[in-house]
Amino acid sequence: MSRISWNQYFMSQSHLLAMRSTCTRLAVGATIVRDKRIIAGGYNGSITGGVHCSDEGCYVIDNHCVRTIHAEMNALLQCAKFGVPTAGAEIYVTHFPCLQCCKAIIQAGIKTVYYATDYKNHPYAVELFKQADVKVEFVEFEKTPGQFDNEKNELIINLLNKLSESNIEDDVVQALRKKADKLLL
């Protein structure tokens, strides 16, 4: 029996975490690893006890949802909350980190960023990673059939969001959301 590589193992964890995301625009997961051990994980979603995008839609300002905390930040904050050092650790992220997460990753002392999907890769983030001597590596994520159907889930959620923006009655859209929630579990 052949085992998956460490990169595939940790990236799978990040994709699994992304399935907990409550953001309807993009589901992202992040796993922080030190010495081949997972020390924290995060996904993008609202503050604890807060309203979620999946409940009321995204709160968008300047084309950016301000309701959510990014997956990378949630993972780093989990380490801070429980006193787990991040210096010298690695982070596996389903998508290339945004500029703000890039800066937080650098400040946390993360030495390597692995990502599975290019997503608005900001040139200044790329420059900052180089400046801080943080290794950035693309990892082609190899999913098995039926595993992590985030793309299908995202499509369904996006279609429901478009329906809610149209003239269709709210109760019809909410009923469809409930059916989708059961399917997406």
Side-chain angles (χ1 to χ4, degrees):
M1 177 176 124
S2 155
R3 298 191 305 171
I4 63 173
S5 70
W6 286 111
N7 281 351
Q8 289 301 309
Y9 174 72
F10 295 126
M11 195 58 77
S12 292
Q13 295 294 321
S14 295
H15 279 83
L16 185 62
L17 283 160
M19 294 173 72
R20 289 280 305 154
S21 172
T22 60
C23 181
T24 56
R25 292 166 54 117
L26 184 67
V28 179
T31 304
I32 301 177
V33 174
R34 189 177 46 249
D35 300 324
K36 302 288 186 237
R37 300 289 178 259
I38 296 170
I39 60 173
Y43 53 87
N44 55 331
S46 301
I47 61 167
T48 303
V51 173
H52 296 284
C53 298
S54 56
D55 296 329
E56 294 189 13
C58 291
Y59 181 13
V60 179
I61 297 176
D62 296 329
N63 293 320
H64 188 75
C65 180
V66 297
R67 188 183 310 275
T68 60
I69 301 165
H70 290 187
E72 303 93 325
M73 290 300 294
N74 269 328
L76 290 169
L77 290 168
Q78 186 180 77
C79 287
K81 185 176 184 177
F82 294 107
V84 178
T86 54
E90 303 169 320
I91 190 167
Y92 287 79
V93 191
T94 57
H95 296 73
F96 189 88
C98 75
L99 182 56
Q100 297 307 317
C101 287
C102 159
K103 292 188 275 186
I105 287 166
I106 292 167
Q107 289 301 94
I110 302 286
K111 66 175 183 177
T112 308
V113 175
Y114 297 97
Y115 70 99
T117 305
D118 287 308
Y119 182 73
K120 300 181 182 180
N121 302 23
H122 199 286
Y124 190 51
V126 173
E127 181 184 328
L128 287 176
F129 280 139
K130 283 181 187 170
Q131 216 175 75
D133 201 27
V134 173
K135 181 182 169 190
V136 178
E137 187 177 318
F138 172 79
V139 173
E140 188 168 337
F141 181 59
E142 300 165 13
K143 59 183 177 180
T144 59
Q147 181 186 27
F148 309 117
D149 288 332
N150 283 344
E151 292 158 14
K152 290 178 188 174
N153 296 353
E154 286 176 21
L155 174 64
I156 292 169
I157 290 167
N158 287 333
L159 289 171
L160 288 169
N161 288 339
K162 292 291 181 195
L163 282 175
S164 68
E165 294 169 5
S166 68
N167 293 330
I168 295 177
E169 296 174 21
D170 240 12
D171 57 334
V172 172
V173 175
Q174 288 307 319
L176 289 171
R177 277 190 196 279
K178 285 181 183 177
K179 284 183 182 180
D181 285 344
K182 288 179 184 176
L183 290 172
L184 301 179
L185 288 177

